Amino acid sequence: MSAEYATFGLAPAMRAGRVLANGGYQVHRDFMDFIVDGRPLLFQLSDLDAVSPLASDVPPAIFTAHVRMLLLQAPAPLADGRCVIYGCPECEGIECGAVTAVIERDGDDIVWRDFAWQTAEQADLELNGYRGMGPFRFRGDEYRAELERLLTDGGDAAPERRRVLLIGARVAVLARLAAALRTIGIGAEITSDAAEVPAEELRTYGAVAFGRAVGEQERDDVRAAFEGAGADVVYVRGLAPVIPLLVAQIEHALDRSPLERRRLTRLTAQDGAAGVEVTSACRVQLVSYRVDRLHRTHTRELFDGMLEPGEHRIPVDGRAVKGQSFLVARTMGSVLVAPMVH
C-alpha cells in the first residue's frame, strides 16, 4: 500500500433536479462531496448519477450516524467493513447500486481502499471493482477535523435545503413553476412584493426568479429588500415561460460551488453549434426548447453522450433552434442554459 498521503476535504455539491418532457422528474439533492487532493472524488466516476450519504435532506440522526460511520465510531453497514461512499439519489437503496469502499484505521492514518460498485450485501471486486481508484491514505487529524465540523455548531457545515422566491405577472406560469420545483425538492414561494416578507424569511432564499414582465423599478425594489435583510441571493431573469427551461435556470443559480469543482463550465449556442466545456470525462445531455409564433413549446434532444475533458463543438440541427430557442446542457451535478444566437 502506498505511503503517500492524499488530502481530504468536504465541499457542498448538488445533484441537479429535472422536469422531464413526459411529466416525470428527477429530484434535486444537496450533499457534501468528498474532496480528495483538491478535486471531487465523484469526478473519478465519469458517468455516475449519485450522491454521498451526507445529504441535506436526510434526518439529523441518520446524518450523524453516517458521519460517525466515516469516523469509524460506528460499525460499517455492509460486509467486510464496507461503507457506502455514493448511493442512488432517488432512494439510496443498495439494490439500485452504490459505490462502496473499505474504510480502516492504520495507526493514526485513515485508509479508503477497494472501491467497488455494489448491488448486494457482498461486493465482487474482480467483477465490479474500480481498478486504478485509490487506495487513499489520509492524515487522521485532517480527516477527523473535516468530518467533525459536521457534528459541531448545530451542523452548520452541512448543506442546507435551497429555496427560491418567484416574482412575476403570469400567476399561472409561476404556480406551475413552483409546483415543478417543489416536486424535485426545491422550496418555492410566489409573491408580488418582497417588501412585505419578513427579513428572517428573506434570508432563507438562495435565489429570486423574475418573470419577463417584471419592470426595472420592481426588480430594484426587490433587490433593496433583500439587501436590507442582509440576504445573499442570486437573481434570475426568466428566458421564456417554459417550465423545464426555468427549472434549469434556477438549478444553475442555486449552484454555489466554485467553478473548478464543476464538471460543466461553459455553454454557448451560436452559428449552428453548441460550445460545451467540461472539466472531467462525463455524460452530457443537450436539449433545445423552441417557442414558435403561436407560443407553443417544441422540445428536442440534440445530444446525449460521453465527452472527454476540454472544449467541444456540437453541431445543432437548424430546425431545432430556429426562431426563439434555448439550449440546456446537463451532466451529473451541473446544468447550464444559453439562448441561441442566430
Side-chain angles (χ1 to χ4, degrees):
M1 184 178 295
S2 171
E4 295 183 2
Y5 284 100
T7 61
F8 179 85
L10 296 166
M14 77 169 187
R15 185 262 198 161
R18 182 181 182 185
V19 177
L20 305 177
N22 63 5
Y25 65 92
Q26 64 180 32
V27 71
H28 174 101
R29 300 291 303 278
D30 291 306
F31 63 99
M32 298 299 286
D33 200 3
F34 307 110
I35 308 301
V36 177
D37 286 336
R39 284 181 59 78
L41 184 60
L42 192 56
F43 282 17
Q44 294 196 34
L45 307 164
S46 59
D47 189 26
L48 185 66
D49 182 13
V51 300
S52 83
L54 306 178
S56 64
D57 52 354
V58 301
I62 296 178
F63 185 92
T64 298
H66 285 312
V67 175
R68 296 200 180 282
M69 176 195 68
L70 294 169
L71 286 167
L72 301 180
Q73 297 174 356
L78 301 172
D80 302 321
R82 302 191 70 83
C83 300
V84 173
I85 305 300
Y86 296 107
C88 172
E90 300 290 342
C91 70
E92 300 183 15
I94 189 71
E95 62 278 0
C96 287
V99 177
T100 67
V102 174
I103 300 179
E104 62 186 8
R105 188 177 289 105
D106 184 11
D108 193 49
D109 299 338
I110 301 294
V111 176
W112 287 18
R113 63 173 175 84
D114 296 342
F115 288 83
W117 177 253
Q118 192 166 345
T119 57
E121 179 66 18
Q122 295 285 341
D124 188 334
L125 293 179
E126 287 297 319
L127 184 64
N128 296 315
Y130 284 100
R131 293 175 177 80
M133 187 173 179
F136 300 114
R137 177 179 292 270
F138 306 115
R139 289 182 171 85
D141 53 352
E142 174 187 274
Y143 178 89
R144 287 187 290 272
E146 282 293 300
L147 288 168
E148 287 171 354
R149 284 193 307 116
L150 302 180
L151 302 178
T152 59
D153 301 325
D156 289 342
E160 297 180 356
R161 293 180 65 85
R162 306 295 177 86
R163 300 175 68 207
V164 59
L165 188 63
L166 308 177
I167 301 175
R170 301 181 65 174
V171 177
V173 173
L174 295 181
R176 286 164 46 214
L177 176 58
L181 289 168
R182 292 166 187 155
T183 297
I184 66 173
I186 296 176
E189 284 77 39
I190 301 170
T191 188
S192 58
D193 187 0
E196 298 179 355
V197 182
E200 58 271 20
E201 183 174 344
L202 292 179
R203 289 192 289 270
T204 68
Y205 292 102
V208 176
F210 295 113
R212 293 188 299 174
V214 178
E216 184 176 351
Q217 183 59 56
E218 292 175 272
R219 296 196 302 272
D220 288 344
D221 290 344
V222 170
R223 290 189 179 95
F226 274 89
E227 289 173 4
D232 179 21
V233 298
V234 177
Y235 298 98
V236 179
R237 285 293 303 274
L239 290 173
V242 178
I243 300 304
L245 179 67
L246 294 171
V247 168
Q249 282 191 267
I250 291 169
E251 290 270 45
H252 173 63
L254 291 175
D255 186 359
R256 300 296 188 92
S257 62
L259 194 62
E260 64 272 14
R261 290 182 181 167
R262 301 184 191 183
R263 277 182 165 149
L264 185 61
T265 55
R266 187 176 66 89
L267 172 66
T268 60
Q270 60 185 2
D271 300 328
V276 178
E277 184 175 5
V278 295
T279 60
S280 65
C282 58
R283 177 187 176 191
V284 174
Q285 296 170 300
L286 189 64
V287 177
S288 71
Y289 296 93
R290 181 173 64 86
V291 181
D292 66 19
R293 288 177 295 178
L294 299 177
H295 306 291
R296 295 173 300 190
T297 301
H298 302 266
T299 303
R300 187 166 181 177
E301 184 178 283
L302 303 177
F303 178 81
D304 186 350
M306 293 294 297
L307 295 179
E308 294 299 316
E311 299 181 4
H312 302 268
R313 186 178 187 274
I314 301 173
V316 172
D317 186 340
R319 292 172 298 176
V321 294
K322 63 182 179 181
Q324 186 185 24
S325 55
F326 311 89
L327 298 186
V328 174
R330 289 182 175 277
T331 188
M332 167 55 195
S334 299
V335 58
L336 289 177
V337 179
M340 193 70 196
V341 178
H342 298 283

